[in-house]
Amino acid sequence: MDVRVHNIRKEFGRFPALDDVSLDIRSGELIALLGPSGSGKTTLLRLVAGLESPTGGTIFFGDEDASQKTVQQRNIGFVFQHYALFRHMTVLDNVAFGLKVRPGHRRPPAAEIRKRALDLLELVQLSGLDKRYPAQLSGGQRQRVALARAMAVEPNVLLLDEPFGALDAQVRKELRKWLREIHDRTGHTTIFVTHDQEEALELADRVVVMSKGAIEQVGTPDEIYDHPVSPFVYGFIGQSNCLAVTLQNGEIWFEDRPIGLRAPAEPDGPANLHFRPHDIELIDGCGGCLAGLVTASRRVAGTRHLELDLGRTHPPVEIELPPERAAAGDHSRIAFRPTKWKLFRDGERQAVVAEAKSESSPIEMQEPTLVAQAS
Amino acid sequence: MSHDPTASSVASPGRQAALPQLAAATSESRLARLTLTITALAFVALFLLLPLAAVFTEALRKGPAEFVAALGDAETFSAIRLTLTVAAIAVPLNLVFGVAAAWAIAKFEFKGKAFLTTLIDLPFSVSPVISGLVFVLLFGSHSLIGPWLQSHGIQILFAVPGLVLATVFVTFPFVARELIPLMQEQGSSDEEAALSLGASGWQTFWHVTLPNIKWGLLYGVLLCNARAMGEFGAVSVVSGHIRGETNTMPLQVEILYNEYNFVAAFAVAALLALLALITLILKTALEIRYSAEIAASRRH
Ligand SMILES: Nc1ncnc2c1ncn2[C@@H]1O[C@H](COP(=O)(O)OP(=O)(O)O)[C@@H](O)[C@H]1O
Ligand SMILES: [Mg+2]
């Protein structure tokens, strides 16, 4: 079932945890709500579930206005961060709970309830553990019971709050892949919350990046990574550098010289240049480039990460190079130029505020060819 | 048998579980530990075991026949019946009130919550005699509603209703105080999970909340019961001491004692102590029988 969130506001006391959030989720999609702690992800999830009521706005399940309905009537499946399994019930009883508490005319016969619960346990690969109590399971197993329990009611939408947050890295990775498989097999519309960008990018059809109670960007993992629309998304997703630059006659200047990048349509003035460590090219003779001293050098898997000092007042910049190209040792001077980059007009803090967002003016990314022309 | 609230919380299962860790974490010298242990044991012996033993010795001083005869006395028998009746009404009432109050305080945010929490402790902080007097002021013949009650033939003071009211008031905190920390610790995500799965409020309470708190609840009820049967001060004020009618067991003990009928007085006292002992034994037995389940419910 598709889920549409319309201009939702949620205040706790006077504090706005969500400020005018709108989001369309298509039927069968796997959506990640991604953002730092306190950005309002859980609040949004609980509002969709009906565990909180909004200060303003509406939520539609299909064509029906779900905001008027109680949590029971919405028929959702919710997986809690700390599982919230019923500790005095066996695994089987936990999974069967949602069917057992149905009123008589909607409740399947006991034998069928049992069969469905056992089928679900098989789906989540827990066959044979049906008589255990939650305390006798590992964290990963508990989480899978919680998921089976939520799916037992055939929910309109499946909601998961940091489903793997309390598990160790290895189990996390396994469960991640496994959740994707389950989703592809069952086709439930699914929203899951995470603060782990890797998890979101790997698992989701679309990622919703949230910050300070607002949505920063919605898009496929590729869109989010390759075309971040705000400085916040640039900084939050993946690695990125941010340099204070100035625009002069359509040219980008760093300190006292142009760096060979052009933004022709832009008026003069200060701006911030964002680029990722791996989106750079080394330059031999510097006719217009960024240059700095290598202050640190780390080998990370297949690439070498170099930290460069560009001058007194600037934070260090990080670039990534193939190891053979970064052969030079410390304290050598490196000249380079971003190949993919973006300019934002406002300081990072202003740009993430919703009102200021329209004022911040991202300048179209320049193709490497264009840059080559200019140099 | 101490009914004082601090003693109750020290003995509560939750704290017991924390004790071994504490002992391991602290590293007092052996001498200090020995001294502390001996002091504690001596204290318990002096103030708990000795009086208890004295009660039973006095009761049996003239032999078991006298003991049984003393309990068979009509007035004493009526006191025993009255005590059991009052407890049978007051304890279930406080079970319901206590669960409701703990539920409200632990699971909801509302204005006046801190005030309500303080209010629950009131019966512990006010002298029982004053608690009794409050009811006399409320329902006595000189009170506002006294004449109305009288004209409708409703007897509250010097009758079972007054005894029940006073007992309910004095024993109110036991269940609530036992449950509030437990429910606060458990949070409300189990309940939210049940609701999200379609369970009604009542189903959620019955299938999720109640099983989660049953051990704390049982403990609170046992303590509440012990105190309900043993309460003296408040009950004494509202009872009117009508022999064979409004005397509960503790009041009967006092009357017999004042009449120098020591064997009978101690016989009733011994019975009272026995009821309290049975309560504790029952609790311990249940704890041993279900220790695995109790541990599981806390670990998870
Ligand atoms: N029940 C609540 N009462 C008061 N403030 C809350 C409550 N729940 C969340 N908040 C606040 O709302 C903001 C968003 O919280 P939350 O949705 O839990 O963030 P996230 O899940 O992204 O970490 C936080 O600042 C948090 O302190
Ligand atoms: Mg959260």
Side-chain angles (χ1 to χ4, degrees):
Chain A
M1 184 165 296
D2 56 320
V3 175
R4 284 175 298 141
V5 175
H6 267 293
N7 305 101
I8 281 283
R9 281 183 61 76
K10 176 66 186 177
E11 286 167 13
F12 292 108
R14 303 286 297 282
F15 173 83
L18 283 180
D19 193 6
D20 198 23
V21 165
S22 295
L23 179 64
D24 281 5
I25 296 164
R26 292 186 286 270
S27 192
E29 250 187 328
L30 180 55
I31 290 270
L33 301 182
L34 173 65
S37 177
S39 53
K41 309 179 295 291
T42 299
T43 305
L44 180 55
L45 202 69
R46 290 172 61 87
L47 283 164
V48 173
L51 291 169
E52 304 274 0
S53 52
T55 312
T58 40
I59 293 169
F60 288 93
F61 281 12
D63 294 329
E64 273 182 284
D65 184 355
S67 351
Q68 304 301 320
K69 293 183 173 179
T70 63
V71 53
Q72 290 104 329
Q73 292 165 338
R74 291 191 198 189
N75 191 37
I76 48 97
F78 203 105
V79 175
F80 291 81
Q81 198 169 354
H82 299 289
Y83 325 123
L85 294 178
F86 307 132
R87 63 202 91 180
H88 58 279
M89 291 183 203
T90 61
V91 165
L92 187 75
D93 287 339
N94 264 282
V95 177
F97 184 85
L99 297 173
K100 279 188 183 167
V101 294
R102 282 190 182 168
H105 61 281
R106 285 181 46 232
R107 186 172 53 224
E112 197 191 319
I113 292 182
R114 190 183 150 77
K115 183 177 175 307
R116 263 163 68 179
L118 287 171
D119 286 350
L120 276 165
L121 284 177
E122 196 184 323
L123 179 72
V124 299
Q125 297 160 7
L126 287 178
S127 301
L129 298 187
D130 53 298
K131 291 189 189 67
R132 295 248 188 118
Y133 285 89
Q136 300 165 319
L137 300 179
S138 73
Q141 290 172 329
R142 286 182 203 172
Q143 192 56 286
R144 286 187 271 164
V145 175
L147 186 68
R149 182 177 70 177
M151 289 195 299
V153 297
E154 281 153 27
N156 288 325
V157 49
L158 201 52
L159 306 164
L160 303 95
D161 191 0
E162 310 229 3
F164 314 127
L167 304 171
D168 57 66
Q170 187 59 34
V171 184
R172 264 177 107 112
K173 276 224 164 90
E174 273 168 34
L175 279 188
R176 210 188 276 171
K177 218 192 276 167
W178 167 86
L179 179 66
R180 181 75 231 187
E181 283 168 20
I182 294 249
H183 174 264
D184 292 345
R185 201 152 2 138
T186 58
H188 287 302
T189 308
T190 305
I191 310 176
F192 76 97
V193 161
T194 179
H195 62 260
D196 179 348
Q197 44 155 314
E198 201 186 313
E199 196 166 286
L201 296 179
E202 183 181 324
L203 198 51
D205 295 324
R206 286 196 300 156
V207 178
V208 178
V209 184
M210 296 183 65
S211 163
K212 298 183 182 170
I215 292 181
E216 287 278 328
Q217 187 173 1
V218 183
T220 63
D222 285 344
E223 285 166 358
I224 295 282
Y225 192 87
D226 293 334
H227 306 284
V229 297
S230 72
F232 173 81
V233 180
Y234 229 121
F236 189 68
I237 309 286
Q239 299 277 314
S240 78
N241 295 301
C242 171
L243 275 185
V245 295
T246 40
L247 276 158
Q248 219 166 301
N249 299 326
E251 273 200 297
I252 299 175
W253 286 56
F254 177 68
E255 297 204 317
D256 53 359
R257 59 207 151 82
I259 57 174
L261 301 179
R262 294 183 52 80
E266 284 303 305
D268 292 356
N272 285 316
L273 178 72
H274 293 254
F275 61 94
R276 300 209 184 276
H278 51 77
D279 289 334
I280 57 120
E281 57 179 356
L282 289 186
I283 292 175
D284 289 335
C286 185
C289 68
L290 288 163
L293 284 179
V294 178
T295 54
S297 157
R298 287 177 288 129
R299 174 71 184 260
V300 180
T303 56
R304 186 161 282 280
H305 293 209
L306 300 178
E307 207 174 279
L308 302 182
D309 180 12
L310 295 193
R312 304 138 298 173
T313 55
H314 298 280
V317 161
E318 186 161 308
I319 61 171
E320 289 174 31
L321 292 171
E324 65 276 9
R325 301 213 53 189
D330 281 2
H331 304 296
S332 62
R333 196 170 167 81
I334 282 193
F336 69 97
R337 190 184 294 144
T339 51
K340 273 168 129 188
W341 47 271
K342 228 167 208 189
L343 271 188
F344 290 96
R345 271 292 187 195
D346 292 313
E348 201 177 10
R349 276 188 54 234
Q350 289 155 313
V352 289
V353 177
E355 290 85 358
K357 207 155 43 174
S358 54
E359 286 163 34
S360 90
S361 49
I363 299 156
E364 271 312 295
M365 184 177 43
Q366 310 253 51
E367 291 303 317
T369 50
L370 244 178
V371 173
Q373 257 181 359
S375 55
Chain B
M1 214 78 358
S2 160
H3 300 310
D4 126 66
T6 50
S8 85
S9 58
V10 167
S12 88
R15 316 272 161 98
Q16 265 176 3
L19 278 180
Q21 288 169 352
L22 266 181
T26 51
S27 54
E28 264 85 27
S29 78
R30 194 168 249 221
L31 184 69
R33 244 184 296 160
L34 203 66
T35 318
L36 278 173
T37 314
I38 290 175
T39 314
L41 284 180
F43 202 82
V44 167
L46 189 63
F47 288 97
L48 289 178
L49 297 182
L50 211 59
L52 207 58
V55 167
F56 283 98
T57 344
E58 281 297 321
L60 294 166
R61 183 178 290 271
K62 294 190 180 159
E66 280 280 322
F67 177 83
V68 173
L71 292 183
D73 173 67
E75 282 175 15
T76 301
F77 189 72
S78 128
I80 295 172
R81 209 178 45 200
L82 183 61
T83 290
L84 294 180
T85 311
V86 169
I89 303 173
V91 173
L93 280 178
N94 270 341
L95 172 86
V96 175
F97 291 163
V99 171
W103 176 286
I105 286 173
K107 313 252 165 171
F108 297 108
E109 291 300 325
F110 55 91
K111 280 206 179 102
K113 183 161 144 174
F115 182 63
L116 181 61
T117 315
T118 314
L119 218 56
I120 287 176
D121 284 342
L122 193 67
F124 277 162
S125 47
V126 169
S127 157
V129 178
I130 295 173
S131 312
L133 279 174
V134 170
F135 289 104
V136 174
L137 289 177
L138 269 177
F139 301 115
S141 49
H142 300 295
S143 73
L144 268 181
I145 55 170
W148 184 88
L149 287 173
Q150 221 155 23
S151 66
H152 286 75
I154 302 170
Q155 184 78 17
I156 288 184
L157 287 182
F158 317 129
V160 174
L163 293 172
V164 170
L165 279 175
T167 308
V168 165
F169 181 83
V170 173
T171 60
F172 178 73
F174 286 98
V175 173
R177 284 268 300 235
E178 198 63 40
L179 292 185
I180 289 169
L182 186 65
M183 290 173 111
Q184 273 173 338
E185 187 197 314
Q186 290 179 347
S188 30
S189 59
D190 279 16
E191 278 81 10
E192 288 180 342
L195 294 175
S196 78
L197 290 165
S200 67
W202 175 248
Q203 284 173 322
T204 300
F205 176 74
W206 193 250
H207 295 300
V208 175
T209 308
L210 207 54
N212 276 352
I213 60 168
K214 66 182 170 200
W215 295 110
L217 186 61
L218 178 71
Y219 193 64
V221 164
L222 288 176
L223 277 178
C224 178
N225 183 55
R227 178 61 182 264
M229 295 192 300
E231 172 56 22
F232 179 86
V235 166
S236 170
V237 177
V238 296
S239 141
H241 303 275
I242 307 168
R243 285 175 163 242
E245 275 183 45
T246 63
N247 273 340
T248 59
M249 284 168 79
L251 302 182
Q252 184 72 3
V253 172
E254 192 207 20
I255 288 176
L256 293 170
Y257 187 83
N258 286 344
E259 288 170 349
Y260 303 102
N261 191 348
F262 294 133
V263 169
F266 280 108
V268 180
L271 188 64
L272 207 51
L274 207 62
L275 285 173
L277 276 180
I278 289 172
T279 304
L280 281 191
I281 291 168
L282 205 65
K283 170 192 158 266
T284 314
L286 283 167
E287 263 174 17
I288 294 170
R289 168 78 179 71
Y290 294 101
S291 59
E293 197 184 323
I294 295 173
S297 75
R298 213 166 297 118
R299 203 169 346 129
H300 180 52

